[in-house]
Structure formats: structure tokens, C-alpha cells
């Protein structure tokens, strides 16, 4: 068993983080899922280069709420980490700029400081804005057959880290939601945030399941129409291949209009026209500009 102090000299770093991001508390979910997407993208890059020779399998990131345990969990099957990497990336790197961060926070307004978090590797620690404790369970893709590692912290600079049996590679981040943040145990609230921040991320993100009608192969009703049955399927909340990534020549006007209504569901009319942007010089820019 390993115990120690996170590499930060300032004892009150967590209260500062909470205060600094208090007005934008909900971004914690974006940060945790962004880390999961990055880990998955890194695994795909290793596989493409031949450094990872195992099966990629299902790379879906799963978001789970457990109201009884008061936990919110984000699971990925990405590159994962071993104990040494957890110590390096969680205990040290995240706070390498803590003193500078605090100095900037004290001299700037909250609005001006809104972009600081991304420059100091503090994204993971945004979880403590809504959590009384955070557990991270991880296993590196490079160490098949080895145990995983569990890292836990209650929001103080102290942490614990132990070996733990873990069958699959990847990382689980488990947030024990604090009493003053119980809204983040509501499925509707989490779905709202996933749609707001994760709608077009490049890795599938599952949140729960939903019932859909599926055709029964080879069976028809008295009118000759295919019979259907209700089945439960994973609810993937994001579009990993949004319309703007496709070639304009391959897209029909109806698809542009459908995408417009996906983005703006309360706008019932059709847009006057649209421009599909695909610029590669002097910078890369792709997108669709709609004129309502």
C-alpha cells in the first residue's frame, strides 16, 4: 500500500478550485469525459502504429449513475495507467502550476480566470467541485495479466493508492457526489450535460438504455408490413460522425435540414440557406453555417 501527499505546497488548493469554478460547476463532467476520450484516442493511435497488438473491442465510454451509492461513474477502455503513471499524471503533473494558478486567480476576476483551468492540468480535479471523495481505478493496456491500481482522495492533499484486481484495461472514475450537489445524481440533469458538452465527441458515449422498435426478420402483419418487437438497446448520446465532417457532395438538403433541427429543436421552420465550410488554408476549418 502506498500513501503520500499530492505534490502541492498550498494546503487549501481544493477550496480554491471549488471557489474558482463555483459558477461553472457543471463542467466537471465535460472534463472527466474529455480525459476518457483522450485515453481512448491514444489507444487507437497505439494500435494504428502497431505498438498495441491486442483487440480494441468495444471502445464505448459508459456513464453510470447509482442513486443508492450516490455515485457517478465514467468508464473507458482506453490506454489506462499503471501505478507509476497514476503517480506521475494524477499526483504530480496536475499541480505543477498550482502556485502560479493561485497567484493568477487572486489577481483576476472570475470572468478573466475562466480559462485558467485548462492551462494547469486541473481538469481531473474539477471532480472535487461536486464530490466528497473520488476513486480512480485503472489498468494499463501495456500490462496484460497485471493488477490494476486504485487511487482515492477525499478532497484533502492526502491520497491512498493500492493494487487492485482489474480484468480489463482502461480507467473508471467514480465520483461520490457531495450532499450539496445531489442534482448530479438525476438522470435528466446528466443527460442534459452530456447533450450540452459531449454531443459530437469522436468516441461513442453510452448513458443508460432505451427501448426501440425493431423489425422481426421474415414476419409481416395482415397488411404485409414488417412486424416489430420492442427491444432495449444502449443509449448512445453522441454523434461520432457529424454532418460537417462529410463531403458536401455526399449530403442531401434533407440531411442539412434534419441536422439543423437536431441543433435547434425549438426552431420549427427550415433555415433560409446554409454554407458548408471546408477551409484548409491558412488554417483548417470545417463546419456548417446556417441562416435561419
Amino acid at each position: 500500500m502506498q500513501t503520500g501527499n499530492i505534490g502541492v505546497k498550498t494546503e487549501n488548493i481544493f477550496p480554491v478550485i471549488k471557489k474558482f469554478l463555483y459558477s461553472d460547476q457543471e463542467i466537471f463532467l465535460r472534463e472527466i469525459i474529455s480525459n476518457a476520450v483522450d485515453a481512448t484516442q491514444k489507444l487507437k493511435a497505439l494500435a494504428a502504429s502497431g505498438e498495441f497488438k491486442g483487440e480494441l473491442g468495444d471502445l464505448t465510454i459508459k456513464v453510470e449513475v447509482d442513486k443508492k451509492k450516490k455515485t457517478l461513474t465514467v468508464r473507458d477502455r482506453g490506454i489506462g495507467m499503471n501505478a507509476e503513471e497514476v503517480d506521475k499524471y494524477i499526483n504530480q503533473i496536475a499541480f505543477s502550476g498550482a502556485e502560479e494558478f493561485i497567484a493568477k486567480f487572486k489577481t483576476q476576476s472570475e470572468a478573466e480566470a475562466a480559462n485558467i483551468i485548462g492551462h494547469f492540468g486541473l481538469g481531473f480535479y474539477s471532480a472535487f467541485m461536486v464530490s466528497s471523495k473520488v476513486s480512480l481505478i485503472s489498468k494499463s493496456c501495456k500490462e496484460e495479466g497485471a493488477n490494476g491500481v486504485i487511487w482515492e482522495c477525499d478532497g484533502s492533499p492526502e491520497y491512498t493508492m493500492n493494487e487492485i484486481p482489474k480484468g480489463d484495461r482502461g480507467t473508471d472514475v467514480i465520483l461520490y457526489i457531495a450532499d450539496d450537489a445531489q442534482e448530479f445524481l438525476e438522470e435528466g440533469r446528466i443527460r442534459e450535460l452530456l447533450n450540452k458538452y459531449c454531443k459530437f465527441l469522436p468516441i461513442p458515449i453510452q448513458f443508460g438504455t432505451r427501448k426501440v422498435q425493431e423489425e422481426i426478420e421474415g414476419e409481416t402483419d395482415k397488411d404485409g408490413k414488417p412486424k416489430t418487437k420492442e427491444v432495449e438497446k444502449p443509449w448512445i448520446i453522441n454523434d461520432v460522425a457529424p454532418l460537417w465532417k462529410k463531403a458536401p457532395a455526399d449530403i442531401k438538403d434533407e440531411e442539412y435540414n434534419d441536422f439543423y433541427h437536431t441543433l435547434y429543436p425549438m426552431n420549427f421552420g427550415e433555415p433560409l440557406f446554409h454554407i458548408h465550410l471546408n477551409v484548409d488554408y491558412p488554417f483548417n476549418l470545417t463546419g456548417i453555417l446556417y441562416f435561419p
Side-chain angles (χ1 to χ4, degrees):
M1 175 176 177
Q2 177 179 338
T3 63
N5 288 335
I6 295 168
V8 54
K9 295 179 181 178
T10 307
E11 290 293 323
N12 65 346
I13 183 66
F14 284 108
V16 170
I17 292 173
K18 289 183 179 182
K19 180 181 177 183
F20 157 63
L21 285 172
Y22 182 77
S23 62
D24 201 12
Q25 195 180 45
E26 65 184 32
I27 63 94
F28 80 93
L29 188 58
R30 180 194 70 193
E31 297 296 323
I32 299 301
I33 290 181
S34 292
N35 288 345
V37 169
D38 288 345
T40 307
Q41 295 282 59
K42 288 176 182 177
L43 180 69
K44 292 173 70 175
L46 288 179
S49 67
E51 292 184 53
F52 176 72
K53 302 186 184 300
E55 291 290 331
L56 289 178
D58 182 12
L59 296 178
T60 301
I61 294 167
K62 297 181 179 180
V63 181
E64 302 168 359
V65 169
D66 189 325
K67 284 190 174 183
K68 290 184 178 179
K69 295 181 179 179
K70 296 185 178 181
T71 60
L72 174 63
T73 302
V74 177
R75 306 182 191 277
D76 71 65
R77 296 186 67 250
I79 193 170
M81 294 180 285
N82 57 27
E84 182 180 345
E85 290 166 331
V86 170
D87 190 48
K88 178 179 179 181
Y89 295 117
I90 300 299
N91 295 336
Q92 302 299 326
I93 297 299
F95 285 108
S96 61
E99 291 183 8
E100 185 180 354
F101 163 76
I102 292 171
K104 287 197 174 186
F105 176 75
K106 287 180 177 178
T107 58
Q108 295 184 8
S109 68
E110 288 191 18
E112 292 172 325
N115 293 319
I116 291 179
I117 192 166
H119 299 298
F120 290 89
L122 292 170
F124 170 77
Y125 283 90
S126 65
F128 286 97
M129 292 190 297
V130 300
S131 307
S132 58
K133 184 176 92 169
V134 175
S135 297
L136 180 147
I137 302 172
S138 194
K139 180 178 178 179
S140 173
C141 68
K142 304 171 186 176
E143 299 183 358
E144 188 175 348
N147 279 331
V149 58
I150 179 170
W151 176 97
E152 293 185 306
C153 180
D154 63 2
S156 71
E158 296 182 354
Y159 69 89
T160 62
M161 190 163 68
N162 294 289
E163 280 194 6
I164 188 173
K166 189 177 190 303
D168 202 4
R169 66 167 193 265
T171 301
D172 300 349
V173 179
I174 306 168
L175 282 60
Y176 294 81
I177 302 299
D179 291 339
D180 61 354
Q182 294 294 294
E183 65 179 284
F184 299 111
L185 291 174
E186 298 298 327
E187 290 190 4
R189 180 68 166 128
I190 296 303
R191 197 173 303 282
E192 173 194 346
L193 296 182
L194 291 172
N195 282 320
K196 181 177 181 179
Y197 293 117
C198 308
K199 189 71 175 176
F200 301 110
L201 290 178
I203 302 296
I205 300 168
Q206 178 189 349
F207 182 54
T209 59
R210 61 177 171 177
K211 294 178 180 179
V212 297
Q213 293 295 321
E214 191 174 79
E215 290 187 4
I216 303 174
E217 188 176 354
E219 294 190 27
T220 58
D221 60 19
K222 61 181 180 180
D223 297 322
K225 296 179 180 179
K227 285 186 176 181
T228 62
K229 61 180 178 180
E230 189 176 73
V231 296
E232 196 167 36
K233 290 195 170 184
W235 195 335
I236 304 299
I237 59 90
N238 58 321
D239 182 357
V240 298
L243 204 63
W244 67 76
K245 291 187 176 181
K246 299 179 181 179
D250 298 332
I251 305 174
K252 299 178 181 178
D253 285 341
E254 301 84 58
E255 293 179 272
Y256 280 114
N257 290 338
D258 289 344
F259 189 62
Y260 173 78
H261 290 299
T262 297
L263 295 174
Y264 309 106
M266 300 308 294
N267 289 4
F268 301 108
E270 304 295 349
L272 293 176
F273 63 95
H274 63 265
I275 299 174
H276 195 140
L277 304 171
N278 193 353
V279 179
D280 57 13
Y281 183 83
F283 50 81
N284 290 321
L285 173 64
T286 58
I288 302 172
L289 184 60
Y290 286 102
F291 293 82

